[in-house]
């Protein structure tokens, strides 16, 4: 399943569909029969997604966004097709409600990270993205998760990638502070290997 170019009906072949449930967060999806205090979780295939209702390039946070025109209705149709395909494959879709003015909210990999037993919510530095934090917090708290937020700049699972077991690679530089990665590692009892981002594009 690939991420689509929102300005056309053509899907890119080299980008993964934006989702925070492609690996790490699956391990903390809790069965309705599990006890939170026992730390017993069942792995359930699922994607967190957000409809691109307010998709925009008004705030260009990388060079590829500058001057790009967006067809929101076409983006919504593409989103619907991808969502329906995922569900047809037996994968549950959990949707974060879109918020007016949150132009990048559909890139949910930036929203946070699941590291048993916590959901860590991003502390956005990029212009216009802080509006995504509180809706994300409410979304996961409503599901019964304990939500924490690092006191330093950090852009979620997009910057903290699971490698194996409790070992992650942690990007830092333009939009994330290494102090945030250290804070998360200490809280979650995981190891995060530092990787400095050297491209201004972050792409």
């Amino acid at each position: 399943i690939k991420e689509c170019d929102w300005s056309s009906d053509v899907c890119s072949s080299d980008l993964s569909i934006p989702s925070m449930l492609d690996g790490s967060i699956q391990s903390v999806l809790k069965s309705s029969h599990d006890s939170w205090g026992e730390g017993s979780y069942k792995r359930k295939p699922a994607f967190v997604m957000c409809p691109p209702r307010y998709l925009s390039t008004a705030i260009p946070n990388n060079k590829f966004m500058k001057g790009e025109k967006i067809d929101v209705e076409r983006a919504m149709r593409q989103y619907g097709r991808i969502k329906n395909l995922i569900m047809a494959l037996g994968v549950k879709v959990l949707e974060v409600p879109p918020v007016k003015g949150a132009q990048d909210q559909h890139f949910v990999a930036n929203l946070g990270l699941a590291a048993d037993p916590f959901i860590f919510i991003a502390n956005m530095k990029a212009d216009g993205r802080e509006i995504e934090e509180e809706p994300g917090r409410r979304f996961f708290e409503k599901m019964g998760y304990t939500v924490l937020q690092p006191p330093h700049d950090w852009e979620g699972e997009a910057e903290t990638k699971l490698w194996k077991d409790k070992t992650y690679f942690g990007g830092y530089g333009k939009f994330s502070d290494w102090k945030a990665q250290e804070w998360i590692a200490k809280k979650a009892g995981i190891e995060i290997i530092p990787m400095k981002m050297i491209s201004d594009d972050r792409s």
Side-chain angles (χ1 to χ4, degrees):
I1 300 171
K2 302 297 182 182
E3 179 181 359
C4 287
D5 174 0
W6 299 121
S7 61
S8 71
D9 281 327
V10 179
C11 288
S12 170
S13 62
D14 60 352
L15 295 174
S16 296
I17 182 172
S19 173
M20 196 166 53
L21 288 184
D22 57 3
S24 57
I25 202 169
Q26 287 192 55
S27 63
V28 296
L29 280 176
K30 182 174 59 173
S31 165
S32 60
H33 301 293
D34 288 337
S35 169
W36 180 261
E38 293 176 358
S40 175
Y41 303 92
K42 295 181 179 179
R43 292 177 180 267
K44 293 183 177 180
F47 278 155
V48 163
M49 298 177 68
C50 179
R53 171 51 61 194
Y54 302 107
L55 174 64
S56 171
T57 57
I59 303 175
N61 282 314
N62 63 60
K63 71 177 185 180
F64 302 105
M65 297 173 67
K66 293 179 181 178
E68 289 295 320
K69 295 182 180 179
I70 299 295
D71 185 335
V72 173
E73 293 309 313
R74 179 173 284 178
M76 288 294 293
R77 291 196 299 271
Q78 293 177 338
Y79 174 88
R81 291 199 297 270
I82 294 171
K83 175 185 171 182
N84 290 338
L85 173 60
I86 291 171
M87 294 175 66
L89 294 172
V91 179
K92 186 176 182 180
V93 172
L94 306 174
E95 287 188 300
V96 178
V99 175
K100 188 174 182 179
Q103 68 166 42
D104 297 318
Q105 190 182 13
H106 54 284
F107 294 116
V108 293
N110 298 113
L111 179 60
L113 174 77
D116 189 1
F118 305 116
I119 298 290
F120 292 94
I121 285 291
N123 191 334
M124 299 288 194
K125 179 180 180 181
D127 292 342
R129 299 210 64 178
E130 65 280 352
I131 191 175
E132 303 171 33
E133 297 170 14
E134 193 54 34
R137 180 190 299 275
R138 292 195 300 267
F139 175 78
F140 287 112
E141 286 182 341
K142 187 176 180 179
M143 294 173 63
Y145 296 113
T146 299
V147 179
L148 304 178
Q149 184 179 45
H152 309 284
D153 297 332
W154 176 66
E155 284 204 354
E157 194 264 349
E159 301 274 49
T160 309
K161 295 293 188 182
L162 178 65
W163 178 32
K164 60 180 180 179
D165 300 325
K166 290 190 174 184
T167 304
Y168 295 72
F169 289 106
Y172 69 97
K174 187 173 182 180
F175 290 109
S176 291
D177 189 326
W178 175 244
K179 291 180 181 178
Q181 304 279 17
E182 291 181 315
W183 188 90
I184 292 168
K186 184 176 181 180
K187 291 287 185 179
I190 60 178
E191 177 187 8
I192 300 180
I193 301 169
M195 296 188 70
K196 187 174 183 179
M197 314 260 322
I198 60 175
S199 170
D200 289 340
D201 304 329
R202 230 182 24 145
S203 305

